[in-house]
Amino acid sequence: MSLETLLRQAQRPLLIAHIAPDGDAIGSLLGLGWAMKELGRWPTLACADPVPESLQFLPGHDEIVSRRKGDEDVIVSLDSSDLLRLGSLYDQELFAALPVVNIDHHVTNVRFGSEQLIEPTAVSTSQIVYDLLRRLDWPVSPWSATCLLTGLITDTRSFRTSNTTAEALRTAVALIEAGAPLAEINGHLEHDIPMGVVTLWGRALSAARLQDGIVSVEVTRKLLRECGVSGGDASGLVSLVAGVRQAQIAVLFTEKPDGRVEVGLRSVPGVDVSGVALALGGGGHRQAAGCTLPGPLEAVRDTVLAHLAQMLAAAQPELRALGGSDSDA
Amino acid sequence: MSLETLLRQAQRPLLIAHIAPDGDAIGSLLGLGWAMKELGRWPTLACADPVPESLQFLPGHDEIVSRRKGDEDVIVSLDSSDLLRLGSLYDQELFAALPVVNIDHHVTNVRFGSEQLIEPTAVSTSQIVYDLLRRLDWPVSPWSATCLLTGLITDTRSFRTSNTTAEALRTAVALIEAGAPLAEINGHLEHDIPMGVVTLWGRALSAARLQDGIVSVEVTRKLLRECGVSGGDASGLVSLVAGVRQAQIAVLFTEKPDGRVEVGLRSVPGVDVSGVALALGGGGHRQAAGCTLPGPLEAVRDTVLAHLAQMLAAAQPELRALGGSDSDA
């Protein structure tokens, strides 16, 4: 049975977004959920973790449950690259008994499920869901459009990620025309920084260091405690410093509660940080990668900076040939 | 003679962007300039101030001059709300002798010039220039498209300002289709933060204060000197803290070299800061306004915060009626 037929026939589908949900997970979940509800189906919208406060403006967010009901006929996984990412909602027996549709845009998707709609070139899973709704000729209501546009905006950092295409902007236009209020969505997404995060940014950035084209920032457990925020709140710091004109690489070291150190890496085009991340037991993309290492922080800093400096030195001739980062404004 | 006829007949137009040029000033200047050059005209592209380093990736930026040549047949002012904003390029005698076309999107445009194309609802002057090129049926080359898309992106903070419409996104799609490389443009625009600015952000944000719904940040002359940056480099701080969840108003105080204090104000929808700015001798919009006051900084801080607190207190019943900011995530 084709994926389209399966979805057309579904009456009580269980739609699941991944744990630690972001705007695209919740946006694609609600976007598809609204379309199905408007067709008279009885979807269960589920996520093992709660909806972040910043997304609690989305229509239908309060109908998302953390446990299934038990009478489902199809399972649809959204934006999740593997079954572990479904958290407590993954149930081996249930997943063996029902058709499982896997809708995702992560290149690392392990291709679970009986039906797959995986498009690594799509900027977001919300984009894939929008295309699917068009193909099925299902209506896109203002509610569905609002959720899908939120997914599109959050996964592209408002059309600024390097994979953003004219197609993504065209979809945004269509979603606005379907009733998604762009300015209102941006207002909600942008007015959501806890004051403790501002203090954290301040104290971490005051101590930021730039050496040999590498800008680095450190967030200790002590700092997180004093600012009253979690490690996840610090993650935006690496994008902030990745814009430093003199840097080819940005690194963020975040101490976890258990003492291990999370390492976030960003680089300019032409410099590939995925190799260093992989060598240290992590992974990722050329321009955005990461790994987690046993502490203490000082040792991790020395190891990672040494690896990066070595990689940069080896890459310099190639960078110069590209007319690369030295002359790059 | 209509504006369109005037531009069609122009052979040696003098195109001028405003002083302290931003992405939209330079983008609209070059966007129109490229179109005219491709039609075999001899435009002079001028700006009294140098092109910022962050925009020196735009094709043709090195052909922008700070003085006119002297054989012009038409003057076109771009993105400038009055003649003073043209700096040393404004020449009373010349402007009286030649037709002057005034193309702008600022609501505060004083409507100088013999022909005016002023559209306050347009998100950027680059958008107006694009529409004009289409109306004239002039070609939009990849070079022109690159410059116009840069203006569109910078003036909308990448489609995040509240005035961004589906029309702006549609124009972005058309410009990408005409050859503007979106990812490359964003790469240039984002990788342009001097390291000193990161230190400045750090030190200013460490001392940010939140009280009664107002978040405030201060940048002293001493801090600017120690970080080796200028007051203009600090201006982004107010947008950073405007996102604080608990704040309805964000204020940035920046000490100028002469000791006066520049006050930047931002507010959430429903809170109007333009009245306070106006009362203190400044001006602006409801959600973004400012003024400049004689120092010292401490006195300015006390005055401005008192005005804002009073205004907020008076606005509270109205805000509650709107279901406003308290419950607003």
Side-chain angles (χ1 to χ4, degrees), chain A residues 51-73:
Chain A
V51 177
E53 209 176 312
S54 62
L55 298 169
Q56 291 184 8
F57 69 95
L58 289 175
H61 75 86
D62 46 358
E63 292 176 33
I64 297 174
V65 295
S66 59
R67 300 184 62 168
R68 66 191 193 91
K69 290 187 188 139
D71 61 346
E72 301 84 2
D73 52 5

Side-chain angles (χ1 to χ4, degrees), chain A residues 223-261:
Chain A
L223 180 58
L224 290 170
R225 203 170 43 241
E226 287 171 3
C227 297
V229 296
S230 72
D233 288 321
S235 60
L237 273 171
V238 70
S239 299
L240 267 184
V241 294
V244 168
R245 193 188 284 167
Q246 300 94 333
Q248 294 162 267
I249 298 178
V251 199
L252 169 65
F253 299 101
T254 311
E255 222 177 13
K256 293 167 72 97
D258 63 6
R260 287 184 305 154
V261 178

Side-chain angles (χ1 to χ4, degrees), chain B residues 4-327:
Chain B
E4 282 80 3
T5 311
L6 202 59
L7 290 175
R8 280 189 206 284
Q9 294 183 354
Q11 291 302 319
R12 298 175 308 284
L14 172 63
L15 314 185
I16 313 178
H18 62 72
I19 52 174
D22 55 14
D24 192 31
I26 299 297
S28 59
L29 175 73
L30 286 169
L32 182 58
W34 275 111
M36 290 187 137
K37 277 197 230 182
E38 281 148 19
L39 289 164
R41 316 299 169 80
W42 298 90
T44 298
L45 310 189
C47 180
D49 284 342
V51 176
E53 209 176 312
S54 62
L55 298 169
Q56 291 184 7
F57 69 93
L58 290 175
H61 76 86
D62 46 357
E63 292 177 33
I64 297 174
V65 296
S66 59
R67 300 185 61 167
R68 67 190 191 91
K69 289 187 189 140
D71 61 347
E72 301 85 2
D73 53 5
V74 173
I75 294 170
V76 182
S77 164
L78 291 149
D79 201 40
S80 188
S81 50
D82 60 55
L83 292 165
L84 276 178
R85 295 272 292 156
L86 301 181
S88 58
L89 283 159
Y90 174 60
D91 172 329
Q92 198 173 355
E93 206 169 306
L94 181 76
F95 275 62
L98 291 181
V100 175
V101 178
N102 173 356
I103 303 180
D104 189 24
H105 76 122
H106 291 98
V107 67
T108 50
N109 192 292
V110 298
R111 301 188 166 264
F112 63 87
S114 44
E115 300 294 333
Q116 295 156 13
L117 182 55
I118 299 160
E119 298 183 5
T121 60
V123 292
S124 66
T125 297
S126 295
Q127 168 81 59
I128 303 176
V129 168
Y130 174 75
D131 293 340
L132 176 66
L133 296 182
R134 303 301 301 149
R135 219 155 54 235
L136 289 165
D137 207 17
W138 285 4
V140 179
S141 70
W143 294 272
S144 182
T146 299
C147 301
L148 295 175
L149 184 56
T150 299
L152 195 57
I153 290 173
T154 53
D155 252 30
T156 60
R157 292 194 302 113
S158 195
F159 313 107
R160 289 179 295 166
T161 55
S162 61
N163 62 343
T164 304
T165 54
E167 183 58 24
L169 289 161
R170 226 178 269 122
T171 301
V173 170
L175 291 170
I176 295 168
E177 286 171 345
L182 178 67
E184 207 180 294
I185 292 172
N186 278 322
H188 284 289
L189 294 175
E190 297 211 305
H191 196 250
D192 189 50
I193 306 169
M195 187 61 195
V197 168
V198 168
T199 312
L200 175 81
W201 284 351
R203 292 182 51 190
L205 294 177
S206 305
R209 276 181 279 194
L210 175 70
Q211 197 174 2
D212 301 329
I214 304 173
V215 58
S216 61
V217 190
E218 298 178 9
V219 174
T220 60
R221 281 179 288 190
K222 179 165 172 287
L223 180 57
L224 290 171
R225 202 169 44 239
E226 286 170 4
C227 297
V229 297
S230 73
D233 288 321
S235 61
L237 273 171
V238 71
S239 299
L240 267 184
V241 293
V244 168
R245 194 188 282 167
Q246 300 94 332
Q248 294 163 267
I249 299 178
V251 199
L252 169 64
F253 299 102
T254 311
E255 222 177 11
K256 294 168 70 98
D258 63 7
R260 287 185 304 155
V261 178
E262 220 171 82
V263 182
L265 301 167
R266 296 287 183 282
S267 63
V268 297
V271 175
D272 178 358
V273 284
S274 67
V276 168
L278 201 68
L280 295 172
H285 310 275
R286 281 162 181 273
Q287 261 75 71
C291 56
T292 303
L293 295 172
L297 183 55
E298 295 69 26
V300 172
R301 180 212 299 149
D302 292 347
T303 305
V304 173
L305 292 182
H307 271 79
L308 291 173
Q310 198 178 358
M311 182 272 286
L312 262 189
Q316 288 310 326
E318 189 189 330
L319 268 179
R320 271 195 294 274
L322 276 169
S325 56
D326 281 355
S327 62

